Amino acid sequence: MKHYRLATLLAAAAIAILPATAGAAVTYPDPQPITGQQIIHDPTVIALKSGGYVAYSTGGVIGARTSKNRVQWDDAGNAFAAPPSWWYDYNSTGDPWAPDLSYRDGRYWLYYAVSSWGTNHSAIGVATSPTGLPGTWTDQGKTFTSETTDAWNAIDPALITADGKLWMAFGSYWTGIRLVELNPATGKAIPGATVAQLATRPDAPYAVEGAYIVHHGSYYYLFASYDACCAGVNSTYKIRAGRATSITGPYADSTGKPMLAGGGDLLLASHGRYIGPGGQSIFQDKGKDVLAYHYYDGEDSGTPKLGLNTLSWTRDGWPIVL
């Protein structure tokens, strides 16, 4: 959303009168203005303990961007100097996807996926760092995998701590969004842990992916990207959300439609030059929730760029993008 004082005031006033639906608005806010290196895909962003911000993304050996003020972003190379050797078991180029960045137990944790387009022979890996900055990561290997005999796809990881336990949401197409418990000491999946199902679509190819879960008030909120990414101006990505009182679900939207039946309030979709928003994550900055995502710029040949918007909440506890 553009940082005009009037627009900000109107948006704040609207929160108090919106009905209990996250998809009530007929228009969508523009991303907040940024400068510098804007190109990114599947961003995960964090406000560093040392000050400033870092973003990691699909591309390169987990592409990195840094910022001092969340406005000017600079290219910072890659998380790793070279791909760990085991990545090549999942694709010929050692190409990682969709990282997730978090801070826990005195260090930063970077989860990521390695796979090939159109297969669920996939793996989610994890690395740790004392600073969160590129070049400081130590890869810890695989945390969770899937094979062609599985009913899920081990990509698009997203971590959350709930009820004193560590969980990882993941999934793309196949049967949609899944959840598995992790060992907090190792950051890896507990052997034999139940793999819960959180969201899917009624019909193949079950086009939902890129899960992210946050806790707000009495609920857990599941955000996911629906439909097709990665096609530039022809992308149909959009961000939907639902909520549950338990981390394992069931999740439903503001109309009561289960996310296991294709439900989900529409939060952000294509508008103007901002096409196919998705690949989202959420981070906290100065006490506020911030939604990070990519969109395809319709005025720049569909180049994927970083979108940042404040994520607020209605009086009835539903997310709204400002």
Side-chain angles (χ1 to χ4, degrees):
M1 186 178 189
K2 295 179 180 178
H3 285 173
Y4 298 139
R5 182 179 299 272
L6 178 59
T8 303
L9 290 172
L10 289 174
I15 296 173
I17 59 174
L18 280 170
T21 173
V26 295
T27 60
Y28 302 99
D30 295 347
Q32 297 165 358
I34 63 172
T35 57
Q37 178 54 274
Q38 301 180 39
I39 299 174
I40 207 165
H41 208 278
D42 304 321
T44 180
V45 183
I46 200 168
L48 295 166
K49 299 292 183 181
S50 58
Y53 307 83
V54 65
Y56 290 102
S57 66
T58 298
V61 194
I62 307 182
R65 311 281 185 266
T66 56
S67 176
K68 294 180 180 180
N69 56 14
R70 223 181 74 191
V71 176
Q72 169 67 32
W73 290 88
D74 299 311
D75 192 331
N78 299 290
F80 298 98
S85 60
W86 68 266
W87 291 7
Y88 292 100
D89 295 338
Y90 293 90
N91 63 55
S92 61
T93 58
D95 180 27
W97 299 346
D100 175 78
L101 179 61
S102 58
Y103 182 83
R104 179 173 56 84
D105 294 339
R107 55 182 170 166
Y108 293 88
W109 300 73
L110 184 66
Y111 287 77
Y112 57 85
V114 281
S115 186
S116 297
W117 194 266
T119 179
N120 66 333
H121 171 62
S122 310
I124 293 170
V126 61
T128 55
S129 163
T131 67
L133 292 170
T136 68
W137 293 97
T138 300
D139 193 57
Q140 306 294 343
K142 302 175 192 178
T143 180
F144 189 74
T145 64
S146 61
E147 299 299 336
T148 55
T149 53
D150 289 318
W152 53 78
N153 193 11
I155 71 169
D156 293 1
L159 277 287
I160 181 172
T161 299
D163 302 325
K165 298 179 179 180
L166 184 64
W167 303 85
M168 180 176 70
F170 68 93
S172 171
Y173 287 65
W174 274 262
T175 54
I177 304 303
R178 296 281 185 155
L179 184 78
V180 67
E181 187 180 349
L182 305 184
N183 180 331
T186 64
K188 298 183 178 183
I190 296 173
T194 299
V195 179
Q197 188 178 27
L198 305 186
T200 190
R201 306 288 288 277
D203 303 304
Y206 315 109
V208 54
E209 58 188 8
Y212 201 89
I213 301 175
V214 297
H215 185 252
H216 178 79
S218 301
Y219 295 94
Y220 295 95
Y221 292 81
L222 172 60
F223 298 78
S225 299
Y226 285 57
D227 299 322
C229 83
C230 314
V233 295
N234 296 315
S235 300
T236 58
Y237 243 18
K238 54 185 68 70
I239 301 172
R240 293 184 179 271
R243 72 184 186 187
T245 55
S246 168
I247 185 66
T248 56
Y251 289 84
D253 63 24
S254 62
T255 71
K257 185 174 183 179
M259 293 186 78
L260 282 171
D265 286 334
L266 186 57
L267 285 181
L268 193 62
S270 297
H271 58 286
R273 68 186 293 177
Y274 309 103
I275 298 170
Q280 72 289 327
S281 60
I282 296 163
F283 67 101
Q284 279 215 323
D285 187 24
K286 299 179 177 66
K288 295 184 178 180
D289 294 316
V290 182
L291 178 71
Y293 57 94
H294 68 253
Y295 65 89
Y296 301 94
D297 191 341
E299 296 182 6
D300 189 14
S301 303
T303 300
K305 295 184 179 180
L306 176 62
L308 297 171
N309 289 80
T310 299
L311 185 71
S312 191
W313 305 88
T314 69
R315 188 167 50 196
D316 295 318
W318 289 98
I320 181 171
V321 180
L322 300 180

